[in-house]
Amino acid sequence: MIYTKADIKKLDRITRLKIINSVTGVKPANLIGTINNQGKTNLAIFSSVVHLGSNPALIGFISRPRTKEVGHTFNNIKETGKYTINHIHPEFIKNAHYTSAKFNAEISEFKRCGLTEDYYNNFQAPFVKESTFKMGMLFKEAIDIKINGTVLVIGEIEHLVIPDTAMVNNDIDLEATNSVGISGLNSYYALNKIEKHPYVRVNEVPNF
């Protein structure tokens, strides 16, 4: 099948969302936990979390265009400067998926979707207790993407919680974390390690 730009524009909104959200392949599935200055918590599923740098340890995610009904995650981050990123595991995919509903700001997705708030080391933002791989983030910068009204939210890792069994030879085995991936709007995937290769140096590249 071949789609031109015109063909894509003709697709109904939901079909277009599913297709274009899938073309980059399987992405990490994460829940971002926040709290506002009134103590009301929010939890939302994101598939746009991406590594931006290791020193300092920077992670980014895309916040969609905000309206009065949505955008609670970014609003809370701007208020408090703190948030958490939590991997999703098979045991609570369904709970995590339904945090995507456009709940009123007065309703906490933690309670409504059957997930548990958890706190570490006096860190203000709530972690997801059911997740075994999670990060406490300090908000650093927001970059407006003018072409579609989204925002690249950049944070630095302040706390990192990793399952002991996932650390193998100073490397993270994502298969051992039992974290899941996401594609489109509603399809979830298991992560299976296929191969592992050494850090690449030019003089070690094999002849193909």
Side-chain angles (χ1 to χ4, degrees):
M1 300 178 70
I2 299 176
Y3 288 91
T4 66
K5 180 179 178 180
D7 294 330
I8 293 170
K9 283 190 173 183
K10 290 177 184 177
L11 295 170
D12 67 87
R13 177 176 173 272
I14 299 301
T15 300
R16 185 171 62 250
L17 281 170
K18 288 182 177 180
I19 290 175
I20 302 305
N21 270 291
S22 298
V23 295
T24 56
V26 177
K27 303 176 287 291
N30 289 281
L31 287 166
I32 294 184
T34 60
I35 190 169
N36 66 17
N37 286 332
Q38 288 71 51
K40 297 188 181 300
T41 59
N42 179 267
L43 190 65
I45 190 169
F46 283 81
S47 63
S48 59
V49 175
V50 62
H51 160 266
L52 295 177
S54 300
N55 188 23
L58 299 178
I59 303 292
F61 75 92
I62 297 295
S63 178
R64 303 299 173 190
R66 300 181 300 285
T67 67
K68 290 182 180 179
E69 291 76 30
V70 298
H72 306 143
T73 295
F74 187 44
N75 290 339
N76 290 351
I77 290 172
K78 288 192 297 181
E79 274 193 28
T80 67
K82 301 290 180 64
Y83 58 104
T84 69
I85 300 175
N86 308 264
H87 284 208
I88 297 170
H89 308 302
E91 296 79 8
F92 59 94
I93 288 175
K94 186 175 182 179
N95 309 67
H97 177 74
Y98 280 91
T99 66
S100 61
K102 294 179 175 63
F103 293 108
N104 184 284
E106 298 299 310
I107 298 173
S108 172
E109 290 84 355
F110 278 99
K111 185 175 182 179
R112 182 64 183 83
C113 296
L115 293 165
T116 311
E117 296 175 24
D118 202 11
Y119 295 88
Y120 290 98
N121 300 324
N122 297 316
F123 191 75
Q124 184 177 7
F127 293 84
V128 176
K129 186 173 184 178
E130 289 79 4
S131 175
T132 61
F133 193 130
K134 41 203 169 187
M135 295 158 273
M137 306 296 299
L138 174 64
F139 173 62
K140 304 299 289 186
E141 185 177 2
I143 299 174
D144 290 322
I145 301 175
K146 296 178 181 179
I147 194 169
N148 66 351
T150 58
V151 178
L152 173 60
V153 181
I154 301 172
E156 183 175 357
I157 298 174
E158 283 204 345
H159 298 288
L160 179 59
V161 180
I162 304 173
D164 292 339
T165 55
M167 288 298 295
V168 180
N169 297 324
N170 295 321
D171 196 1
I172 294 175
D173 183 340
L174 286 174
E175 184 174 358
T177 69
N178 209 25
S179 300
V180 302
I182 187 171
S183 184
L185 300 181
N186 51 3
S187 297
Y188 296 84
Y189 295 82
L191 303 179
N192 298 312
K193 185 189 290 185
I194 299 172
E195 297 183 19
K196 185 175 181 178
H197 299 280
Y199 181 85
V200 175
R201 293 176 175 82
V202 172
N203 64 342
E204 296 175 350
V205 176
N207 294 321
F208 293 103

